Amino acid sequence: QVQLVESGGGLVQAGGSLRLSCAASGRTFSNFYMGWFRQAPGKEREFVAAINRGGDSTDYADSVKGRFTISRDNAKNTGALQMNSLKPEDTAVYYCAADLRRWYFSSRPYDYDYWGQGTQVTVSS
């Protein structure tokens, strides 16, 4: 079992920044890939970013490349998503997720085994 808890969401103006955090417990944090997804009302959950077990390789959706940065601190069992230059279309509930099985990046939600409860990010224009 892995428990994931996101924090750091909120309301921000377009062009602003937010930093999301994901606190993990229950399993050795470095034993899984970590991903961030988001889901806007009426839309499917979509991939945002992922980071490998050691934290030295990352993957991003094209829509956030150059604006978002994923990171992790295995010593502190935490992950983060730094979001800069936010746009109204970034508005969604953001989820962190853990993939315990794969040793490569996946952008498919069903490949992830555990999920946090989500944190709302709202970007006003």
Side-chain angles (χ1 to χ4, degrees):
Q1 284 279 356
V2 175
Q3 293 79 43
L4 302 170
V5 179
E6 303 96 336
S7 60
L11 173 64
V12 64
Q13 287 190 332
S17 298
L18 279 175
R19 183 177 179 85
L20 305 183
S21 295
C22 178
S25 61
R27 286 275 191 105
T28 302
F29 187 62
S30 59
N31 282 353
F32 53 85
Y33 275 56
M34 188 182 76
W36 286 91
F37 290 77
R38 65 188 182 187
Q39 189 166 19
K43 295 189 176 181
E44 293 187 352
R45 192 165 296 189
E46 66 171 353
F47 172 75
V48 175
I51 190 166
N52 70 342
R53 295 169 189 235
D56 58 354
S57 184
T58 56
D59 188 34
Y60 294 93
D62 288 343
S63 58
V64 307
K65 276 181 184 175
R67 300 189 298 123
F68 290 11
T69 303
I70 188 172
S71 62
R72 67 190 298 164
D73 186 336
N74 287 344
K76 296 182 178 179
N77 292 349
T78 59
L81 184 69
Q82 177 66 42
M83 305 186 296
N84 299 328
S85 302
L86 283 161
K87 305 175 181 179
E89 51 263 43
D90 294 319
T91 295
V93 177
Y94 283 71
Y95 300 89
C96 66
D99 178 359
L100 274 66
R101 294 169 285 162
R102 265 154 288 277
W103 287 83
Y104 55 86
F105 291 117
S106 174
S107 61
R108 301 178 299 189
Y110 53 82
D111 280 341
Y112 288 75
D113 305 290
Y114 296 96
W115 293 83
Q117 83 289 349
T119 185
Q120 176 70 47
V121 171
T122 303
V123 184
S124 62
S125 57

